[in-house]
């Protein structure tokens, strides 16, 4: 059985790369769009500001993410050579959020990777969709017939609510 193609943007790309390192054969092709390979931030991010009103997002996720960005596990980037999946690393160019030396570094560590830079900034898929889809097509991930959109993904089964990890549990794991 051939694994499914997986496209990850930014932090989702980091999760996808971690999965590809651990679950050999699960992923057919991997796309990492504007994904940081997690070198410690210099200078580190300070504590997230707590807004005076309820934010429209889960602040504990921001705190956990910042903790990972400030002090990432070096083993994660050390295992890029274990990714046995053809990988396309998409960089957003100078306007991207990721230092553009790091996508090239990451692509050089993944055995079957290639790097493409699309000068769109951080949201390559949103700001330059035709170029992004063209890069995916050249990598072997197709479009729907003439629509200019990626094919729809199969539905994933839902987990019962008592099996879905809470944001506070994720924060606790990130702080360990």
């Amino acid at each position: 059985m051939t694994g499914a193609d997986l496209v990850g943007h930014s932090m989702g790309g980091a999760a996808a790369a971690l999965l590809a390192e651990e679950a050999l054969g699960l992923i057919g092709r991997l796309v990492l769009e504007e994904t940081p390979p997690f070198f410690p931030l210099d200078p580190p991010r300070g504590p997230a500001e707590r807004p005076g009103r309820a934010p429209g997002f889960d602040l504990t996720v921001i705190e956990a993410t910042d903790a990972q960005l400030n002090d990432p596990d070096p083993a994660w980037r050390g295992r890029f050579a274990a990714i046995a999946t053809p990988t396309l690393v998409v960089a957003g160019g100078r306007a991207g959020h990721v230092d553009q030396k790091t996508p090239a570094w990451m692509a050089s560590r993944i055995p079957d990777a290639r790097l493409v830079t699309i000068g769109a900034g951080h949201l390559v898929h949103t700001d330059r969709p035709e170029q992004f889809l063209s890069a995916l097509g050249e990598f072997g991930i197709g479009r729907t017939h003439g629509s200019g959109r990626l094919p729809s993904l199969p539905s994933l089964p839902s987990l019962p609510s008592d099996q879905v990890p809470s944001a506070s549990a994720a924060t606790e794991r990130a702080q360990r």
Side-chain angles (χ1 to χ4, degrees):
M1 181 177 129
T2 303
D5 297 335
L6 183 58
V7 179
H9 173 261
S10 194
M11 300 303 278
L18 285 168
L19 179 63
E21 290 174 357
E22 298 294 328
L24 303 178
L26 181 66
I27 301 169
R29 283 170 293 205
L30 176 63
V31 178
L32 305 173
E33 176 197 354
E34 274 288 291
T35 298
F38 294 135
F39 291 99
L41 291 180
D42 184 24
R45 286 190 183 162
E49 287 187 34
R50 295 199 169 267
R53 57 180 169 69
F57 54 88
D58 187 344
L59 191 58
T60 59
V61 172
I62 301 299
E63 293 165 343
T65 300
D66 286 349
Q68 290 295 315
L69 292 172
N70 286 336
D71 188 23
D73 181 352
W76 177 67
R77 61 183 178 273
R79 292 191 317 253
F80 283 146
I83 297 176
T85 296
T87 303
L88 178 65
V89 178
V90 180
R94 291 184 302 195
H97 292 178
V98 175
D99 178 336
Q100 294 301 289
K101 293 177 197 158
T102 57
W105 180 92
M106 186 169 29
S108 74
R109 300 309 192 271
I110 299 171
D112 190 9
R114 59 180 118 156
L115 172 69
V116 63
T117 299
I118 300 172
H122 188 59
L123 297 173
V124 178
H125 66 283
T126 300
D127 294 342
R128 298 278 165 79
E130 286 302 316
Q131 288 175 286
F132 182 71
L133 291 172
S134 176
L136 293 183
E138 290 173 20
F139 185 59
I141 298 175
R143 297 183 191 195
T144 57
H145 299 289
S147 73
R149 293 190 311 252
L150 289 175
S152 60
L153 299 175
S155 298
L156 296 175
S158 297
L159 288 175
S161 61
D162 64 337
Q163 293 181 18
V164 177
S166 68
S168 59
T171 301
E172 288 173 21
R173 281 193 302 278
Q175 292 173 344
R176 285 186 212 148

